[in-house]
Every structure is written in C-alpha cells, then in structure tokens.
C-alpha cells in the first residue's frame, strides 16, 4: 500500500511499544486485510516483518465473504471496492471483551494518547506514578514540530537512529531543498517516476513506501525549518561538549 497503511502500521507499532508487556497478555492487536486476493498469509508475514512486529499482533486475511462479514459487524464496512484506496480507513476499533464495550479511535493519533485512552477504557491503573499538572512545563511547540510529531515521528527520528525510515538529523544539509520539498509532498510520484534517490531509499528501507500525507507546501516548509533548527541545536551541543573536554 502506498497510501496510509504504512503510517498506520508504524503508529500502531509505537503504541505496541508504549503498552509493553500488556500486548499479548491483556490486549491483542489484529490487522485484517481488505485486499484478500493480493494479501496472502506470506505477503502479510513479510509486511509485518518490515515493521519488526512483536508478539500479540496478528495480520489476518481470509475469504472475501468472511472479511466483509467481520468489517460489517465491526461497523467498518465502506461499500467500496476493498482493493481500492477509498476502502482504506484510519479507524482503530477497540473492544473490551469482558464488558462487551466497544469504541472507535483513529489509528493515526499520538500513540501515548491512545495508550492513555486504552488504560482508561479498560480500567487499568497506571504502571508508575505520573507527574501532576503542577509539574507541567509551558508548551512551546512550533508548527514544524507539531506536524513532524504527528506525521513523521512514527517512522523517523532526528538523531535517534533509523526507524522504519532513515534518521533525519542533518538531512537538510545532505539533500537539495527542492528535492526534499517535492519528496515530502509527493513521494509516491517520485518513486513511480524512478527518481534515483527516492528509489534507492525505498529499496534500502525494506520497500516500505513513504505515504503521500497530503501536506500543504507551507507545512512542508515548516517541517524543513524544524529539521534545520534541530541540526543547529545538535551542532551547538556537540561544540559545547567538545569545549568542556580537558
């Protein structure tokens, strides 16, 4: 899938990490393919391996009539051709089996927010004490950081190493600005056109396509400005560390 599925899977993988050992014990993830003709068990297994999926999460397929029945009973039937991108949804259904309670969430929400929502829904107590409002610091988040955290952080870090995609620390110095802008705006078109760098990155990172997130040009500019700021802050920190050495 070149649409939202890779981002959804990356976000859910982050949620799985946040929930920790509870996944596979108290809570179980199920991803059901809507493209039963193409997504065979072998294809789904290979897809899960690209995201380093841990225990407690199954990728499922089956006969068309069975998949449609499950989607209908979960309230997810769209009436669209299951193989089309229009049938893809970002809905995450959560069921509390002992109580019979169900709710819908967006799988693209912040993973920590989703984890807190699940804890409340399932009646879990916090694993460790959490800071109160009195300890909260003022929020000072620019639009570039906001968009990056919501749209990019599930697949990329800035100085924390590769994730699903590459570490982006210093990327604004390694790549031409116009190339970065176009790649963030329409990665699918660049890969389809055979852009050598885009194609090489696609192959290097397990052939997981970067989705077209439908970002506006000014949002892309804000993301790049944020990456510039993080690179400059990294340089300042590195120089300070070097200067403090005897």
């Amino acid at each position: 899938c070149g649409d939202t599925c890779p981002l959804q899977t990356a976000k859910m993988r982050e949620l799985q990490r946040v929930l920790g050992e509870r996944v596979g014990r108290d809570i179980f993830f199920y991803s059901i393919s809507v493209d039963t003709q193409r997504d065979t068990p072998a294809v789904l297994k290979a897809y899960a391996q690209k995201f380093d999926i841990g225990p407690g999460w199954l990728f499922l397929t089956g006969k068309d009539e069975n998949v449609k029945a499950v989607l209908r009973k979960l309230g997810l039937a769209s009436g669209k051709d299951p193989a089309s991108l229009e049938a893809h949804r970002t809905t995450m259904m959560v069921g509390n089996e002992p109580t019979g309670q169900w709710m819908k969430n967006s799988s693209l929400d912040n993973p920590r927010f989703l984890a807190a929502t699940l804890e409340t829904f399932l009646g879990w107590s916090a694993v460790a004490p959490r800071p109160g409002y009195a300890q909260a610091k003022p929020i000072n988040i620019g639009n570039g950081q906001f968009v990056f955290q919501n749209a990019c952080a599930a697949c990329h870090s800035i100085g924390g190493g590769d994730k699903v995609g590459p570490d982006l620390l210093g990327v604004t110095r390694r790549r031409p600005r116009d190339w970065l802008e176009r790649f963030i705006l329409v990665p699918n078109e660049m890969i389809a056109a055979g852009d050598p760098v885009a194609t090489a990155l696609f192959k290097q990172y397990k052939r997981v396509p970067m989705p077209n997130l439908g970002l506006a040009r000014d949002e892309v500019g804000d993301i790049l400005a944020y990456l510039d700021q993080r690179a400059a802050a990294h340089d300042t920190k590195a120089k300070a560390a070097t200067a403090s050495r005897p």
Side-chain angles (χ1 to χ4, degrees):
C1 174
D3 198 62
T4 60
C5 291
L7 178 58
Q8 289 182 67
T9 307
K11 288 269 191 179
M12 296 299 292
R13 181 65 181 101
E14 288 296 304
L15 174 61
Q16 186 186 36
R17 290 190 178 98
V18 173
L19 292 171
E21 293 180 355
R22 282 176 164 165
V23 179
R25 185 187 66 195
D26 301 316
I27 190 166
F28 299 85
F29 288 21
Y30 300 96
S31 294
I32 305 172
S33 171
V34 297
D35 190 353
T36 60
Q37 300 304 310
R38 182 170 58 181
D39 289 340
T40 63
V43 169
L44 291 176
K45 181 179 180 180
Y47 181 79
Q49 289 174 340
K50 293 179 180 181
F51 291 87
D52 191 26
I53 299 301
W57 186 352
L58 295 177
F59 285 72
L60 305 175
T61 186
K63 295 180 180 179
D64 281 344
E65 58 268 27
N66 292 336
V67 170
K68 289 177 180 178
V70 170
L71 295 179
R72 184 174 63 255
K73 291 185 178 183
L74 289 174
L76 295 174
S78 66
K80 304 288 186 180
D81 177 5
S84 72
L85 292 180
E86 293 180 351
H88 292 205
R89 296 187 173 206
T90 60
T91 303
M92 179 182 76
M93 295 296 301
V94 181
N96 187 346
E97 193 170 317
T99 64
Q101 294 174 296
W102 288 81
M103 68 173 175
K104 287 184 179 181
N105 288 89
S106 170
S107 59
L108 298 182
D109 270 337
N110 182 292
R112 293 191 177 278
F113 169 77
L114 287 174
T117 302
L118 285 172
E119 288 178 358
T120 301
F121 181 68
L122 297 170
W124 288 341
S125 58
V127 176
R130 293 174 178 164
Y133 288 110
Q135 300 168 276
K137 297 179 180 179
I139 297 176
N140 183 20
I141 299 176
N143 191 54
Q145 181 178 355
F146 177 80
V147 178
F148 181 87
Q149 291 295 335
N150 281 279
C152 312
C155 297
H156 301 279
S157 78
I158 306 175
D162 291 352
K163 296 172 74 174
V164 177
D167 187 332
L168 297 181
L169 181 64
V171 70
T172 54
R173 300 170 182 175
R174 297 193 301 272
R175 307 285 186 205
R177 199 81 172 191
D178 58 345
W179 186 92
L180 286 171
E181 289 178 351
R182 179 165 172 73
F183 187 59
I184 297 173
L185 282 170
V186 287
N188 52 323
E189 292 182 12
M190 293 185 70
I191 293 174
D195 179 272
V197 176
T199 302
L201 289 170
F202 175 64
K203 292 179 180 178
Q204 180 180 353
Y205 290 93
K206 302 180 180 179
R207 306 184 73 84
V208 175
M210 177 171 163
N212 185 329
L213 299 171
L215 298 175
R217 191 169 292 275
D218 60 337
E219 290 178 315
V220 173
D222 290 340
I223 291 174
L224 294 177
Y226 175 61
L227 292 174
D228 284 335
Q229 293 170 6
R230 289 292 300 272
H234 179 269
D235 289 347
T236 300
K237 186 176 180 179
K239 288 178 182 178
T242 301
S244 65
R245 292 173 186 163

